[in-house]
């Protein structure tokens, strides 16, 4: 099997302020594999410190993986060497799944086990942190654009201001609301927020620091976990007793692993939600396939294409009316992407 990697660097439309600093670009690698029968698979690694290994580690791991595969080692076995390097593992996991699905003539989500055709999956709009007026405006714009589910960023302002923002949006729009605190609060603040506006929200995402498992488990209200999964893994995260779990294929080590964990979550009575880590078009499209493979998936965080100023290729899973189109071509449908940076 042939294997080669190529770096990419995609500017964000607006720089992202995170707990770990300002992000201006999403940089990573495309991995292209080609079997003897000339079937091609393409995967993407978009490392994001805090969620995955660092860029340099990812590059080294992928270069080694490509070299080993070129030498003739079994690619699935090489995948096992990438445990603990989720972005690199994502690239290879996706490339192999893309290749296999393409060879079988199936779209990726069918290869992942979907029993029937899925035309589109619901997606949420993200309403960033802004003052109450701008928050309501942004929420109304998203609802007018057809989104039935809105995610509000909270946790950056005083608790009372966030409570007012949620109340104002809930009064203004007819949509399911979620709040994402990105681990910002103390136990007391989180419980206060849940008591005040919990009944107006579908759930509150990551109200407490990632490792405060006992605190999360003790909260009274409907919660989702996100950072906790990246920090301690899905199995240990179960002790937080979440109602929903955010699954980021890039942080979990690949789309096939994300589908597996979604099934485990459902077995535990936990609602799975799929999101990107603001990935390029290859990984974002794969995340749409992951969501399409999960029955009765709720709105997912997949409407992230517009956060990039340029992309790896054309958007074949565009969002309209609050839904992302599921590509029906062979595999992930993005193998042509490789040609765009030839
Ligand atoms: Mg989150």
């Amino acid at each position: 099997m042939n294997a080669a990697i190529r770096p990419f660097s995609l500017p964000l439309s607006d720089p992202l302020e995170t707990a770990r600093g300002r992000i201006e670009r999403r940089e990573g690698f495309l991995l292209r594999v080609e079997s003897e029968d000339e079937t091609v698979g393409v995967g993407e690694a978009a490392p994001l410190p805090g969620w995955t290994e660092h860029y340099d580690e990812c590059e080294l791991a992928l270069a080694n993986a490509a070299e080993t595969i070129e030498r003739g080692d079994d690619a699935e076995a090489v995948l096992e060497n990438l445990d603990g390097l989720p972005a690199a593992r994502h690239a290879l996991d996706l490339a192999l799944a893309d290749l296999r699905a393409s060879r079988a003539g199936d779209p990726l989500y069918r290869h992942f086990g979907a029993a029937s055709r899925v035309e589109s999956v619901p997606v949420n709009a993200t309403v960033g942190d802004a003052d109450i007026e701008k928050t309501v405006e942004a929420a109304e714009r998203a609802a007018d654009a057809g989104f039935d589910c809105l995610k509000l960023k909270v946790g950056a302002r005083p608790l009372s201001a966030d409570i007012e923002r949620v109340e104002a949006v809930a009064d203004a729009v007819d949509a399911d609301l979620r709040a994402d605190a990105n681990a910002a609060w103390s136990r007391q603040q989180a419980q206060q927020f849940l008591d005040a506006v919990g009944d107006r929200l579908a759930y509150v995402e990551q109200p407490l620091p990632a490792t405060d498992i006992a605190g999360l488990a003790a909260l009274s209200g409907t919660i989702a976990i996100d950072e906790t999964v990246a920090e301690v893994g899905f199995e240990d995260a179960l002790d937080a007793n979440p109602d929903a779990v955010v699954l980021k294929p890039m942080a979990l080590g690949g789309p096939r692993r994300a589908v597996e964990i979604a099934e485990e979550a459902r077995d535990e009575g936990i609602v799975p939600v799929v999101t990107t880590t603001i990935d390029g078009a290859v990984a974002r499209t794969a995340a749409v396939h992951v969501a399409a493979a999960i029955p009765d998936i709720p709105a997912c965080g997949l409407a992230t294409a517009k956060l990039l100023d340029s992309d790896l290729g054309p958007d074949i899973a565009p969002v309209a009316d609050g839904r992302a189109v599921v590509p029906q071509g062979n595999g992930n449908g993005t193998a042509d992407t490789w040609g765009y940076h030839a």
Side-chain angles (χ1 to χ4, degrees):
M1 190 180 277
N2 293 121
I5 66 169
R6 177 181 300 184
F8 65 77
S9 177
L10 307 171
L12 293 176
S13 315
D14 292 305
L16 202 67
E17 305 295 342
T18 75
R20 287 172 182 257
R22 190 181 169 95
I23 301 174
E24 296 189 348
R25 313 180 71 82
R26 291 293 283 125
E27 297 180 310
F29 307 90
L30 287 175
L31 169 68
R32 180 187 190 272
V33 296
E34 183 176 354
S35 57
E36 327 293 81
D37 66 1
E38 296 183 351
T39 311
V40 170
V42 175
E44 175 186 329
L48 188 61
W51 296 92
T52 74
E53 74 275 25
H54 285 259
Y55 182 90
D56 293 345
E57 288 173 281
C58 180
E59 180 174 35
L60 185 64
L62 270 182
N64 282 336
E67 204 180 295
T68 312
I69 292 168
E70 283 265 328
R71 269 208 314 268
D73 281 24
D74 176 47
E76 294 286 347
V78 173
L79 202 56
E80 283 171 30
N81 300 337
L82 297 175
D83 276 342
L85 299 156
R89 194 184 188 287
H90 180 282
L92 182 56
D93 188 56
L94 172 54
L96 295 177
D98 184 28
L99 188 150
R100 280 157 202 265
S102 293
R103 185 184 284 144
D106 291 327
L108 199 55
Y109 75 97
R110 295 300 293 267
H111 181 72
F112 289 155
S116 56
R117 187 179 169 102
V118 178
E119 299 290 345
S120 64
V121 289
V123 296
N124 68 264
T126 300
V127 176
D129 175 62
D131 64 32
I132 193 158
E133 214 166 289
K134 290 206 177 80
T135 299
V136 169
E137 277 170 25
E140 285 175 336
R141 262 200 312 276
D144 288 347
F147 288 93
D148 299 326
C149 180
L150 313 181
K151 184 172 92 164
L152 266 66
K153 287 284 179 191
V154 293
R157 288 165 188 270
L159 199 66
S160 57
D162 275 336
I163 289 170
E164 284 173 20
R165 290 170 67 234
V166 170
E167 285 172 339
V169 170
D171 288 341
V173 299
D174 181 23
D176 283 342
L177 300 181
R178 299 166 174 170
D180 188 354
N182 290 112
W185 290 326
S186 68
R187 293 181 183 189
Q188 196 193 349
Q189 288 172 315
Q191 192 58 60
Q192 218 178 317
F193 182 83
L194 282 161
D195 290 344
V197 286
D199 60 351
R200 309 200 75 172
L201 296 165
Y203 60 65
V204 179
E205 186 174 322
Q206 201 66 48
L208 299 179
T211 53
D212 190 4
I213 309 282
L216 288 164
L219 288 174
S220 157
T222 308
I223 63 155
I225 51 170
D226 185 4
E227 284 86 343
T228 293
V229 182
E231 191 77 27
V232 305
F234 176 71
E235 293 302 325
D236 287 348
L238 289 174
D239 291 338
N241 197 23
D243 301 282
V245 59
V246 174
L247 303 178
K248 294 175 157 69
M250 190 62 69
L252 293 172
R256 290 188 289 190
R257 196 167 263 182
V259 171
E260 281 166 22
I261 295 177
E263 283 167 7
E264 289 172 32
R266 274 272 157 75
D267 289 345
E268 299 282 344
I270 301 167
V271 174
V273 175
V274 181
T275 81
T276 73
T277 48
I278 315 182
D279 310 320
V282 172
R284 190 179 66 248
T285 305
V288 171
H289 283 286
V290 168
I294 302 167
D296 304 318
I297 190 79
C300 288
L302 301 169
T304 57
K306 64 179 185 315
L307 302 178
L308 297 173
D309 211 29
S310 70
D311 211 332
L312 298 167
D315 190 1
I316 60 167
V319 170
D321 266 341
R323 302 188 70 88
V325 170
V326 180
Q328 305 296 331
N330 288 348
N332 196 27
T334 57
D336 289 345
T337 296
W338 189 256
Y340 286 91
H341 294 286

